[in-house]
Amino acid sequence: MHTPDLHTLRKQLDEGSTDALTLLDQALAAARSPRCAHAFVSIDEPGARAAAAARTGALAGLSVSVKDLYDIAGQVTSAGSVVLADQPPAPVDAPAVARLRAAGAALIGRTQMTEFAFSGVGINPHHGTPANVAMAALDPAAPACVPGGSSSGGAVSVAAGAAVAALGSDTGGSIRIPAALHGLVGFKNTQALTPAAGSIPLAPSLDTVCAITRSVRDAVLLHEILAERIVRLDAVPLAERRFAVVRTLMLDALEAPVAAAFERALETIAQAGAQIEFIDLPLLDELPRLTQDGGLPAAESWAWHRELLARDGARYDPRVAARIRRGAAITPEALAALHAARADWIDRMSAALAGFDAVLSPTVPMIPPPLAPLLADDAAFFEVNARLLRNPSVVNLLDGCAISLPCHAPGTAPVGLMAWSLGGRDDRLLSLALQLEAALKPARESAR
């Protein structure tokens, strides 16, 4: 069933065909339904009702969920962990939360996540893992599938109709992965455009504050709110765009549904007149060197967690703790060398991709896999986690911008198309993403 996007609901409010409190009642019912089991850490009905009744700002009192990574005044920020559960409530909102509140968002609740945001799968052994809503809709009798992470609850809240948008974060794909696995839109902006203050860090060099939405136009609006800036959309037609498709790494080992949907998307984009060039990008062969011993996420998370791990490590998710502890092997000198190597790699990547409007890739190489095997088998978990993070994490290392939008046919497993570019090209990327979405929609529907 199609769920209206934020813009559509706001138009209905303006026309008087519905009201914000009715929409909030529907959102609350969805949040408390079996579809959202384990998706929310807490629900703030009184606060959401007050915002919906006021119906002010660009978000007009519509429901928005907040990842349990961000401070909300008067609430405990636990980052999906039991280790922080006894911390004092936050005294003030994180800037991102404050900006949503100022725009009139009805902050419906805090959403579940991978502990400390350290996984692309979305599993949380402390509080339970939300099941993939899109896959459940295809076959309610099938085993539960992976939601994607780390913003797992956020994606589920949007896909299930509990929120029109979800505030999340993206360090290696944590917005784009769950968006792709749910047939939603996930936009990762250039990191510096949105403030990360008031959130639990994973890797400050990579952490990006951003959102999951139901459409690209909603992604534009949420970015404008979170970044406090106006997106300048350009008028360059799709027929004058030049895209790269990187063969190196990005197209390796694609599952058949992903390969078919991606190929169909490229054909549609080419038929619209866009220039598509398949290129090799040997610079991606340097990724193992740049991610050795866990790279920046391991090194920077170890710096934040080392004392907490020493004191309370037995209560961490063992898989998360293991990934953080890898950072102990990275000396300060090695970390400084890694930052220098990354800066040099970004310069060379920027030169290699300078002539393209964007790069097109599958967001992830697989459709949502069954959840149960990954709960019990560490080897299976880490293999799937690595595959999910492979493509999107390149953009974080590049300090670029990227958007995942659905490219699968309705009634089939979700597949995300990722358009990505260099840092600072956010407005161009959002402009062409609107065009890609418009071009792909009829093609997706005709491929039923």
Side-chain angles (χ1 to χ4, degrees), residues 118 121 318-320 322-323 374 377-389:
F118 215 157
V121 178
R319 292 166 173 173
V320 170
R323 298 184 76 195
L374 307 188
D377 187 331
D378 282 356
F381 167 84
F382 283 113
E383 190 271 335
V384 168
N385 187 59
R387 290 174 67 194
L388 290 173
L389 290 165

Side-chain angles (χ1 to χ4, degrees), residues 118 202 293-304 323-324 326-328 330-331 335 338:
F118 215 157
L202 173 55
D293 294 322
L296 290 171
E300 295 184 355
S301 63
W302 171 248
W304 196 90
R323 298 184 76 195
I324 294 173
R326 294 183 70 190
I330 303 176
T331 65
L335 181 57
L338 176 56

